[in-house]
Structure formats: structure tokens, C-alpha cells
Amino acid sequence: RTIGRALSLSINVGAALSKNSRGVSAATVARDATGKFMGASSVAMRGIIEPKTMEVLALREGLALAKGLSLNRVRMASDCANAVRCMTGGSTMGAYGQIIQELREDVKAFPLMESVHERREANHDAHVLARSTLASSFGRHVWFFDPPDGVCNSYLVT
């Protein structure tokens, strides 16, 4: 994984929907330029059945984490190409159009925010966290010092 030289933090986002219940989760993991864990969050909900809407909500969770960490130079990565296209100026139509409009306004608070599409393998920790919090109590869960179970504390950035 590489992080642009001008950016100080990478945030990976992911979403999960339960096949057995109506539980859903959006998760995000933040790392500094060296790959060190900086923070993570997830939000567990119920009732959303549209995967693309959950991926957009994962972007929202990533922005919330970036704000919580008081960051201003961020690279946010998702494996959902449609969500990234919407964030970077594409269509805002669909069930999640209002959320995209909100996110576009929130991004203006950051001096530098880059949204990129990455393969699912690159977002491994975010997906592990999203899956593991499907059965959690509803609401937001945040980790600032120690990563949650299943999320590595650091990895080598190439």
C-alpha cells in the first residue's frame, strides 16, 4: 500500500451485511504514513438491505473518524468504485444521493481529502472489522489506542 507523500493518513472503509439477520455494519481503520494504527470505528445498524448504501455509509464513518482524529490531510480508500465515483463528482442519484451530498459538504472542511478505489484485498482490516461488529450492540464503537480484535497494529507501507 502506498500513501501519497502529501497525505498524512490513510483511512480504509468497508461495510458488511448479515445474510441471516437485518444487521449491517460500516467500519473504518486509520493508519499513519508508516502504517501504524491510529484509530478505528464501526457503526452497527439494522434494516438497510442495499450494499451500495452501506458502502456510502462506510465513507461517512471514515469522515467521522478523520474528524475525531483531528486530521486535515487524508486519503480515504473504498473497494466500492461507485461510491468513490459519487464522492469525486459523479452522479448522486439513487437511494444514497442525500448522503453523498452531505459527504461532499463535509469533505470541504479538510484542506486535502483524496477518495480512491482500491481492491477488496487492500481494505482487509476494514472488512474484518465490519464483519466482526455485525453482532455488536447497535451504535458506534471507536478504538483510538489499541486496535480491535482482528486488526493489525501496524504493517509495512511500500
Side-chain angles (χ1 to χ4, degrees), residues 42-60:
S42 71
V43 61
M45 301 174 248
R46 171 164 268 151
I48 298 173
I49 59 171
E50 172 57 43
K52 289 178 188 170
T53 299
M54 281 309 302
E55 292 290 347
V56 170
L57 289 173
L59 290 171
R60 176 198 264 173

Side-chain angles (χ1 to χ4, degrees), residues 21-42:
S21 70
R22 294 187 58 113
V24 295
S25 178
T28 181
V29 176
R31 298 185 182 282
D32 70 11
T34 68
K36 181 181 174 192
F37 175 84
M38 299 298 292
S41 66
S42 71

Side-chain angles (χ1 to χ4, degrees), residues 35-111:
K36 181 181 174 192
F37 175 84
M38 299 298 292
S41 66
S42 71
V43 61
M45 301 174 248
R46 171 164 268 151
I48 298 173
I49 59 171
E50 172 57 43
K52 289 178 188 170
T53 299
M54 281 309 302
E55 292 290 347
V56 170
L57 289 173
L59 290 171
R60 176 198 264 173
E61 191 64 17
L63 283 175
L65 182 61
K67 287 178 187 178
L69 291 169
S70 299
L71 305 173
N72 57 18
R73 303 171 77 77
V74 179
R75 178 181 188 267
M76 190 161 44
S78 170
D79 66 5
C80 183
N82 286 335
V84 172
R85 266 195 298 277
C86 287
M87 280 289 294
T88 58
S91 171
T92 60
M93 302 308 287
Y96 48 85
Q98 194 65 35
I99 301 167
I100 290 292
Q101 288 178 356
E102 173 190 327
L103 294 177
R104 287 181 180 172
E105 287 301 313
D106 286 350
V107 164
K108 293 176 184 178
F110 294 88

